[in-house]
Amino acid sequence: MEEPVPLAAGRVSLRVVRPRDAEPLRQLLVNNRGWLQRWEATHPSGRSVVPGSTSMRPTIRLYRKQLKAGSGVPFVVLFDNAVVGQLSISELSGGALQSSQIGYWISEHVAGRGIAPTAVALAMDYVFTVLGLHRVEICIRPENAASLRVVEKLGMRSEGRRNAYIHIDGDWRDHECFVALREEGPMLARLERGGGSRVSDAG
């Protein structure tokens, strides 16, 4: 797959992760342990590596291999050109399905400023217009109020609960599945109509 050009809306942008992002991402993961741990994927064997405890370089190499193979698109989220999180497009399916999933995290120090919904809208418009896929899913733990607000701002449709869907924070957790379709129109424009993309100038 061809590497996408950076995507931007105001002070928020996405670009493909690079080796130089390894240390900034590692430091963010260390600084956000309390903020992110409840939502982080773990291995059922209990042998999970604590995020931020090792170099991100091997993970970034894997992400870039997935991009080259066409199985995923790994972005960093930037706010005023500083790395503040990650967003990944995964489970890319062609054929009769034409679907994908999006997952993301944002540092606590910039949370609540409209960065996450803007980043997700940019990624979804890329999926629909550049990759030409039909459907995007975001699956969220029902306890994750901040992420539920993101899909609400984007007007995504609930398709119900998937029981014991992903191993998160040491156990199999239920997730709510939210969906958008290409024919529903550009997501960034939808967000702007609802006022959700107005990134705060405070701080």
Side-chain angles (χ1 to χ4, degrees):
M1 179 186 296
E2 185 175 340
E3 181 171 321
V5 300
L7 313 171
R11 301 169 69 186
V12 179
S13 58
L14 299 175
R15 66 162 168 77
V16 170
V17 67
R18 299 170 182 168
R20 73 184 190 207
D21 298 317
E23 183 55 24
L25 286 173
R26 190 196 69 79
Q27 194 60 56
L28 282 174
L29 289 169
V30 170
N31 294 344
N32 283 271
R33 287 302 301 138
W35 171 251
L36 296 174
Q37 184 173 352
R38 290 184 65 197
W39 323 118
E40 287 171 341
T42 47
H43 196 279
S45 68
R47 295 192 298 268
S48 301
V49 175
V50 175
S53 64
T54 60
S55 171
M56 288 288 291
R57 285 185 176 274
T59 301
I60 290 173
R61 283 196 294 269
L62 176 61
Y63 287 155
R64 293 187 66 86
K65 285 180 180 178
Q66 291 170 346
L67 174 64
K68 188 174 181 179
S71 60
V73 185
F75 289 111
V76 285
V77 181
L78 300 106
F79 181 61
D80 289 342
N81 297 314
V83 174
V84 295
Q86 286 182 270
L87 183 148
S88 295
I89 304 169
S90 62
E91 305 297 330
L92 294 172
S93 301
L97 187 57
Q98 298 288 318
S99 181
S100 64
Q101 291 189 355
I102 287 178
Y104 56 90
W105 62 267
I106 299 293
S107 177
E108 185 177 16
H109 80 280
V110 293
R113 303 182 65 173
I115 295 169
T118 302
V120 172
L122 285 167
M124 294 176 74
D125 284 346
Y126 168 79
V127 167
F128 292 142
T129 61
V130 178
L131 300 184
L133 299 182
H134 168 69
R135 172 187 173 95
V136 174
E137 292 184 357
I138 297 179
C139 296
I140 300 169
R141 284 185 58 184
E143 304 90 350
N144 192 340
S147 275
L148 290 174
R149 286 194 296 272
V150 170
V151 295
E152 180 182 5
K153 288 179 180 180
L154 291 166
M156 297 182 71
R157 183 177 59 262
S158 174
E159 288 195 341
R161 182 166 297 193
R162 296 180 181 177
N163 295 326
Y165 181 53
I166 305 175
H167 202 272
I168 299 287
D169 192 25
D171 205 353
W172 292 104
R173 310 289 184 178
D174 296 350
H175 283 66
E176 301 288 342
C177 181
F178 296 86
V179 172
L181 304 178
R182 183 173 57 190
E183 55 263 33
E184 294 169 352
M187 298 303 295
L188 192 60
R190 182 191 298 189
L191 185 62
E192 289 170 346
R193 286 196 299 270
S197 69
R198 299 193 184 103
V199 176
S200 170
D201 291 323

